[in-house]
Amino acid sequence: MANTLEPHPEGLQLVSKAVGPLPLLNRFLERLAIERFFGERVPAGDRRQKLAPAVGLGVLLRNILLARRPLYGLAEWAGRFDPALLGLAGQAPQYFNDDRVGRCLDALFRSDRATLMTEIVVHAVEEFDLDLSQIHNDSTTVTFTGQYPEADGKPSRGIPTHRITQGHSKDFRPDLKQLLFILTTTADGAVPIFSHVDHGNTTDDTTHIRTWEALRKLCGTADFRYVADSKLATAQNLSHIATHGGRFVTVIPATWREHAQFHAWLRSNAAPWVEVLRRPDPRRKAGPPDIYRGYEHPLRTAQGFRVLWYWSSQKDTLDRAAREHRIAAADKALQALSARVGAPRSRLKNPEQVSAAAQKILTDKHVERFIRIEVRLLEEAHFTQATRGRPGPRTAYIRHAHQRPVLHWQSDAQALLDEARTDGVFPLITNEEKLTLKEALEAYKHQPALEKRHEQLKSVLNVRPMMLKNHLRIEAFLFLYFLALMTEALIERDIRARMRKLGIKKLPLYPEERPCAAPTTERLFELLADLRRHRLVDESGRVHQRFYDTLSEPQRALLRLFKLSPQEYLAAAEEPAAG
């Protein structure tokens, strides 16, 4: 895809430029009016700055979505395309060195990013007719290589900053410092509509009130359903939302009294479950369906909120398998402990020591209710000669007896049978009185779509681990990642809506034209990545003739969905040839 210059017999040269997915991406960036909002809200800074912040940020956003090149590689990447496709408006790609792009990030950091985000999101809601009646929230961590001693949370020129520090790493990288990245999406297409960053050691339960208040201002009303994981379920969070006219659905944590009480009741009783949802196995065509049953507990929480219990066939299988795995691991550890106890030089000399060691294994594996342990004393004897010399028929022997502990364990069959009654069970809590069991479950089942956005942030957009010399630019950079996630989500929502409208169940987007039922933006961009356009130019740079790559049938099918002809797509933002 690099530019190629080849001699031509008539004294002309063939110049090739990449097109890739840029025309499709630009269509959505234009609908979002991203660069207009950048131009209005991001300060231009020094007049000597050769790269306008709005232009630099627009190119950087395109790079995040398409290539994820480092800042020092932007000039090389941008040089592969016609400047007009990148929104350069006559500015040369060589201006894209890391210092100039870094100053664009500085300008974005100094801008009123809260207002900028609100204006972009409000415009997106109107432009794409987004439904804000149900909103989902979750957080993840963004890790960093480097120490960042300056990122101590102190304001910079009056602008708040955040601490890059150690915390509970959701990337399982406790060795790296981090920031907390909080994302809110619609249920309508899982489109990001709000995001903010917090200190790396911030706990999730402390972020919800601020997030909900920001969403209330964004929506212009409190009458929307707020869905989040169990970190939302604190008395302060739920009370704040309920008393201010909001609605919520969340999971009850296992630490709540209601959770322990219902599980204890289930071990000896049968709940009057009612089937509320049944759907095909999403992983195997011939697999059993996923079945959900529900039951509303007659007793409410102390704050008066409804408690809805569910049984999931899929979770039932997972819970049973997890318990069997823990029991097997405990059995293996107990066998190793038993061998240690029986060793000649064992340090576990008395029953109390052996019992304590065995109990620690059961506690660590969380199986203390399912395995019974017993330590018995086994008497062992050995004999020695009473006198010195070679033994004979009349040799006398002295009997030496001692006791050593022996560990025994076995499963508690009744405890396992009782615990099986609680497999697959989980509780939701809500303050909506008219919400049915099915509606509450379906609301919460949208939460994985938000988690998919976090996966895209890290695996597709490759945000981890991050390293920038200037910690002030990091928050600006994460703002661009929010816009990238929003753009990706809108593209996916748009193409899937077009497929439903036209009755198209699958598109031949995968290699070998294999069908795809739920196209992702990543796959669309991959499909269009190799497209180029070519020109025959003379020594003065005048274009005499144009050539374009031939599109494959999957590429044509994709463009037809967006009502674009191949010629219109490949010639996007192209100057006319010389007369």
Side-chain angles (χ1 to χ4, degrees), residues 13-74:
Q13 291 180 317
L14 179 65
V15 179
S16 298
K17 290 283 187 179
V19 175
L22 269 177
L24 177 62
L25 173 57
N26 287 340
R27 168 180 281 204
F28 282 85
L29 294 180
E30 289 166 6
R31 291 183 65 183
L32 284 170
I34 292 290
E35 292 183 19
R36 173 170 67 84
F37 286 116
F38 279 158
E40 293 173 353
R41 288 291 176 182
V42 181
D46 195 330
R47 293 181 179 179
R48 296 171 296 177
Q49 187 170 335
K50 295 184 178 180
L51 182 62
V55 175
L57 294 173
V59 176
L60 186 53
L61 176 59
R62 290 176 174 89
N63 176 69
I64 291 173
L65 282 159
L66 299 182
R68 276 75 70 184
R69 295 288 187 271
L71 297 187
Y72 59 78
L74 274 181

Side-chain angles (χ1 to χ4, degrees), residues 106-231:
D106 291 337
L108 179 58
F109 173 79
R110 294 192 303 270
S111 68
D112 185 355
R113 280 170 282 129
T115 300
L116 176 59
M117 179 180 293
T118 300
E119 290 180 346
I120 292 174
V121 170
V122 168
H123 176 76
V125 170
E126 296 174 352
E127 175 68 21
F128 292 90
D129 192 24
L130 296 178
D131 181 6
L132 301 183
S133 60
Q134 182 172 305
I135 296 174
H136 294 255
N137 177 267
D138 197 10
S139 63
T140 189
T141 51
V142 178
T143 54
F144 298 86
T145 56
Q147 293 301 311
Y148 296 97
E150 302 88 0
D152 53 7
K154 296 179 181 179
S156 174
R157 298 182 182 180
I159 302 174
T161 65
H162 296 95
R163 290 190 301 274
I164 299 178
T165 185
Q166 254 92 19
H168 178 70
S169 176
K170 300 181 182 181
D171 295 334
F172 306 103
R173 291 297 306 269
D175 57 314
L176 298 180
K177 292 186 176 182
Q178 63 186 31
L179 283 174
L180 188 68
F181 183 81
I182 304 160
L183 186 66
T184 304
T185 66
T186 63
D188 177 15
V191 178
I193 58 168
F194 182 71
S195 174
H196 62 100
V197 178
D198 218 322
H199 305 307
N201 57 356
T202 302
T203 56
D204 291 342
D205 58 322
T206 62
T207 65
H208 285 290
I209 292 178
R210 183 175 64 152
T211 298
W212 188 83
E213 286 294 341
L215 292 171
R216 181 166 68 151
K217 293 178 182 178
L218 177 66
C219 298
T221 178
D223 189 24
F224 57 86
R225 181 179 300 137
Y226 185 73
V227 185
D229 62 15
S230 61
K231 299 301 187 297

Side-chain angles (χ1 to χ4, degrees), residues 49 82 316 326 367-368 385 442 472 489 531 542 570:
Q49 187 170 335
D82 283 330
D316 181 89
R326 296 199 309 272
V367 293
E368 55 267 39
Q385 291 181 205
E442 289 178 331
L472 299 179
L531 291 179
R542 294 177 60 198
L570 292 169

